């Protein structure tokens, strides 16, 4: 009996050591793996609605971004699930019905959120520097599509008092439409596409109680996703798929416009700007989808008196290497500051 017990304990020790070695190895390997699965991240939590996920409350930790060779940046959230500075101890209190300050709400994805930089170098934070009379709410979440951002507004921000401006900028659904073309669905977004690919291989998420997803398994999933994703070719678009894509954008903008109108808020729609220096990394279909999205935003603003279009494409691409921190779209402090200055000019003109 003692022999079996010793062998059992020996086996447990070996498994534990093996697991620890795998986890430590994966920890360092993941530092050089820029693959994004866009599943739940450390600062987000799952929801049972069309948002898919939202920000955690009162979270503060360094986030590693693979694009910077291991550079980290701090993400801090408030009790109201918005990104804030940990250098400001004042309670945000944006959603309290007694807070009657004039406010601007920034909706969108990682660009508006300020991915890759500390919050003090993000677009909404720098905008506050030039507009001290406004309460600035960074309600963007990395990976969000246009539909998810509007769903978040409906669920989390609809009751904000004295909301003077609503600013929104979302890259998605352009990338998914560029890739899937006629097979594109209105429900496709960054949150579910990688999981759809991995499901075809029957590779599901695995989490250990009180530990979460093992780093070694996360690395394995990323590797399999890269292999499978390389085999996926872009699908051609059609006139019908273009109409479906444009209608999807317009129907979501109509929802947000209706919310804004009921709150007497001014809606600002921002074009997507991608760096000129990384144009060769994007396919013609990708560039076309971005243009289609931007044109739809512009046309929507033309048809509404209280909707304004904000376009920074030409200004940000005068010196794109300085304005962006990566080949995708994420702003450096210089780019964010330029955006903040130009948006301030627009708002002054509106007033």
């Amino acid at each position: 009996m003692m022999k079996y017990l010793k062998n059992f304990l020996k086996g447990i020790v070996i498994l534990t050591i093996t697991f620890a070695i795998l986890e430590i190895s994966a920890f360092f390997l993941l530092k050089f793996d820029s693959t994004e699965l866009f599943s739940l991240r450390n600062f987000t939590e799952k929801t049972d609605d069309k948002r898919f996920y939202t920000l955690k409350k009162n979270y503060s930790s360094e986030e590693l971004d693979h694009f910077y060779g291991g550079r980290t940046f701090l993400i801090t959230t408030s009790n109201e699930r918005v990104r804030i500075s940990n250098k400001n101890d004042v309670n945000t209190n944006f959603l309290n019905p007694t807070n009657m300050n004039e406010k601007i709400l920034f909706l969108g994805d990682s660009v508006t959120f300020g991915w890759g930089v500390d919050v003090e170098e993000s677009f909404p934070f720098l905008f506050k520097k030039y507009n001290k009379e406004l309460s600035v709410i960074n309600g963007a979440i990395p990976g969000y599509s246009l539909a998810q951002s509007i769903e978040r507004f409906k669920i989390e921000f609809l009751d904000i008092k004295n909301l003077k401006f609503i600013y929104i900028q979302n890259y998605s659904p352009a990338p998914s439409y560029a890739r899937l073309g006629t097979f594109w669905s209105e429900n496709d977004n960054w949150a579910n596409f990688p999981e759809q690919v991995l499901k075809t291989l029957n590779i599901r998420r695995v989490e250990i109680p009180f530990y979460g997803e093992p780093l070694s398994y996360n690395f394995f999933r990323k590797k399999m996703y890269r292999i499978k994703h390389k085999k996926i070719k872009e699908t051609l678009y059609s006139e019908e798929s273009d109409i479906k894509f444009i209608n999807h954008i317009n129907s979501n903008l109509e929802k947000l416009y209706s919310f804004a109108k009921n709150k007497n808020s001014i809606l600002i729609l921002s074009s997507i700007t991608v760096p000129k220096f990384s144009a060769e990394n994007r396919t013609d279909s990708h560039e076309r989808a971005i243009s289609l999205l931007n044109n739809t935003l512009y046309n929507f603003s033309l048809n509404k008196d209280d909707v304004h279009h904000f376009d920074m494409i030409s200004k940000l691409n005068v010196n794109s290497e300085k304005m962006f921190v990566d080949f995708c779209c994420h702003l450096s402090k210089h780019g964010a500051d330029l955006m903040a200055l130009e948006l301030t000019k627009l708002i002054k003109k509106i007033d």
Side-chain angles (χ1 to χ4, degrees), residues 28 43 103 251:
F28 288 105
F43 53 90
K103 306 174 187 70
S251 65

Side-chain angles (χ1 to χ4, degrees), residues 66 104 198 214 219 239 248 274:
H66 304 288
I104 178 171
L198 290 172
F219 179 77
E239 182 178 350
H248 169 71
V274 289

Side-chain angles (χ1 to χ4, degrees), residues 61-89:
S61 183
E62 295 282 346
E63 184 72 17
L64 174 69
D65 194 305
H66 304 288
F67 288 121
Y68 307 96
R71 173 182 169 181
T72 59
F73 56 98
L74 183 66
I75 294 179
T76 302
T77 67
S78 73
N79 189 56
E80 298 175 331
R81 302 182 191 279
V82 298
R83 191 181 187 190
I84 60 171
S85 171
N86 73 329
K87 298 176 182 178
N88 185 355
D89 295 329

Side-chain angles (χ1 to χ4, degrees), residues 277 316 318-325 332:
F277 72 81
L316 286 173
V318 170
N319 187 1
S320 60
E321 289 88 350
K322 184 179 180 180
M323 298 300 170
F324 297 91
V325 295
S332 67

